[in-house]
Amino acid sequence: MKLILSTENTGPESQDQVIELAIIDADTTQTLFNQRFKPSVFIKEQAVSVHGITLGALAHIKTWADYHDHILEIIKNAESIMTYNCDFDFRLMRQTAEAFDRVWPQVIPPCRDLRVAYADIAQIEFNEYYGTWKWQKLEVACQQQGIDVSDLKTHNALDDCRATQRLYKKLQGAFDAYWKPFVKPLSTRYEEFKENIEEISQLFSQGLSISHIHQKLFQDGKITLSYTHFTKFFKDYTETYVSLAESPAPRLAPKRGPKIARDREIEFQANKHEIIVLLNKGYSKAQIHRMLKKQGKWNTSYANFTEICRQYNVRKHHKLDINKALK
């Protein structure tokens, strides 16, 4: 079963939570889940202005914790899950689960982001700054394709699912063709890797290097593939992402005086969200520094830029994406 999922949230930041979740069947439009949740944090005013859900309206309903197991039961057996902002929706769901001391699984069905796919398929407007086709709002995408959504309310989780489903069905052939290249061809070597994916992921999470993981599995007789093929498969199914620590690392004394230190602190605080987004898009720190300087958002040197990133613990992480490997 293919699912479509949408959320409404308290905000976009690392401490925010899901307050509305809807899941429907992509083929039949049957509603499988549609609930609101009482959050443990305040709802930001900007978020309220978008979806209209206030904390008072949620004061006497259940929290995410009460539905967590049921939600996982719905999504765990899906063939795939489609959303109109995959990374955002799943990050907020993970944050919400962890806020209520619930475990979010490492292995979930493949998630397809229609927003990114539609931008590449429709090619409406090219964004020179990011070097990609411009993302379109869901309601705008439907309008561009002549899809009637007059009966739906924007920024309502269930209605957003329905709008996403209509867009998917209108361009289903194009979407399916767009995602098809991501499916890796099967081979004997790949099957060996796939059969041991759970152990590989576990060993990697324990801090073992790729070479040590390969050596261990080879000595145990679980794989016969070479180290070259092993690393190729491993890198194919590894996600790299950048995060910002909740609390800054211990500060070093500024090298060029307190004024420059203050300036770079102010510049970093004003641009930190954009910096993280650009890093996750694959831009180097040097490229980001040049972009910010060109836009007048950053005035201090590249050395100051890299130093403040280090002080605020901007880290690159690597995570084995089991979902891709199990396709």
Side-chain angles (χ1 to χ4, degrees):
M1 180 188 298
K2 296 178 181 178
L3 304 181
I4 293 176
L5 175 152
S6 184
T7 67
E8 297 298 334
N9 309 284
T10 61
E13 304 299 332
S14 59
Q15 75 281 5
D16 284 306
Q17 299 173 16
V18 175
I19 53 175
E20 185 176 59
L21 171 66
I23 306 172
I24 68 172
D25 186 313
D27 293 317
T28 67
T29 71
Q30 177 188 357
T31 302
L32 305 175
F33 188 87
N34 183 32
Q35 292 291 341
R36 289 183 173 182
F37 317 103
K38 178 182 177 181
S40 60
V41 295
F42 289 107
I43 305 175
K44 292 181 171 61
E45 290 183 8
Q46 186 177 1
V48 174
S49 68
V50 172
H51 51 57
I53 304 173
T54 63
L55 198 58
L58 307 176
H60 303 293
I61 64 175
K62 295 179 179 180
T63 67
W64 175 278
D66 296 297
Y67 296 98
H68 178 78
D69 292 340
H70 182 46
I71 293 167
L72 294 187
E73 188 65 29
I74 293 172
I75 69 175
K76 71 178 184 180
N77 294 319
E79 176 187 339
S80 62
I81 302 173
M82 292 176 279
T83 81
Y84 205 74
N85 192 346
C86 183
D87 291 343
F88 178 79
D89 286 331
F90 275 85
R91 174 172 66 82
L92 266 293
M93 287 194 291
R94 182 184 296 108
Q95 287 174 192
T96 309
E98 291 172 353
F100 288 95
D101 297 321
R102 297 297 185 270
V103 177
W104 188 257
Q106 291 292 327
V107 182
I108 56 175
C111 182
R112 307 301 197 189
D113 194 330
L114 267 81
R115 184 177 66 164
V116 175
Y118 178 75
D120 288 343
I121 291 168
Q123 299 185 358
I124 302 295
E125 180 183 349
F126 192 75
N127 190 318
E128 296 288 348
Y129 179 72
Y130 290 109
T132 60
W133 293 99
K134 184 178 178 181
W135 293 341
Q136 306 293 323
K137 292 183 178 180
L138 178 57
E139 58 270 25
V140 173
C142 290
Q143 183 180 16
Q144 290 168 348
Q145 297 302 318
I147 300 170
D148 183 14
V149 290
S150 58
D151 58 323
L152 304 179
K153 179 182 176 183
T154 58
H155 299 293
N156 170 278
L158 183 57
D159 281 353
D160 282 351
C161 282
R162 291 167 175 162
T164 302
Q165 191 269 346
R166 293 177 190 180
L167 179 63
Y168 170 68
K169 283 298 181 182
K170 180 69 179 286
L171 300 173
Q172 183 172 356
F175 280 124
D176 290 346
Y178 177 85
W179 289 318
K180 188 175 181 179
F182 291 102
V183 179
K184 301 291 181 180
L186 296 181
S187 67
T188 305
R189 295 189 184 98
Y190 172 70
E191 285 298 324
E192 284 188 0
F193 184 88
K194 181 179 176 181
E195 288 170 2
N196 294 281
I197 189 67
E198 295 283 358
E199 185 174 356
I200 293 169
S201 179
Q202 184 179 8
L203 293 171
F204 184 62
S205 66
Q206 293 172 0
L208 269 70
S209 66
I210 302 177
S211 60
H212 283 104
I213 296 172
H214 175 264
Q215 184 179 19
K216 183 181 186 306
L217 295 175
F218 190 84
Q219 290 176 347
D220 291 346
K222 295 181 179 179
I223 59 172
T224 60
L225 68 163
S226 67
Y227 178 67
T228 300
H229 283 105
F230 185 82
T231 53
K232 181 183 183 302
F233 284 129
F234 192 93
K235 290 175 181 177
D236 281 346
Y237 302 113
T238 301
E239 293 179 337
T240 300
Y241 62 97
V242 178
S243 72
L244 179 67
E246 292 292 332
S247 302
R251 305 296 180 84
L252 297 179
K255 296 180 180 179
R256 300 192 179 183
K259 183 177 184 302
I260 291 180
R262 273 198 312 274
D263 290 344
R264 73 186 182 197
E265 178 87 14
I266 293 169
E267 289 173 340
F268 183 82
Q269 291 295 337
N271 297 287
K272 64 181 180 182
H273 178 69
E274 184 175 357
I275 291 169
I276 296 299
V277 170
L278 291 173
L279 284 169
N280 280 311
K281 284 182 175 292
Y283 289 89
S284 68
K285 289 180 182 177
Q287 289 174 315
I288 296 170
H289 178 255
R290 285 197 298 271
M291 289 178 188
L292 295 177
K293 286 204 71 148
K294 188 176 180 180
Q295 296 175 27
K297 296 179 179 179
W298 197 280
N299 295 310
T300 54
S301 67
Y302 175 64
N304 276 289
F305 179 80
T306 55
E307 175 65 9
I308 195 69
C309 285
R310 189 192 66 77
Q311 287 181 2
Y312 269 87
N313 208 12
V314 176
R315 290 183 175 179
K316 182 175 283 189
H317 305 269
H318 304 280
K319 176 184 173 184
L320 189 62
D321 188 349
I322 300 178
N323 302 327
K324 288 183 182 178
L326 291 179
K327 289 177 186 176

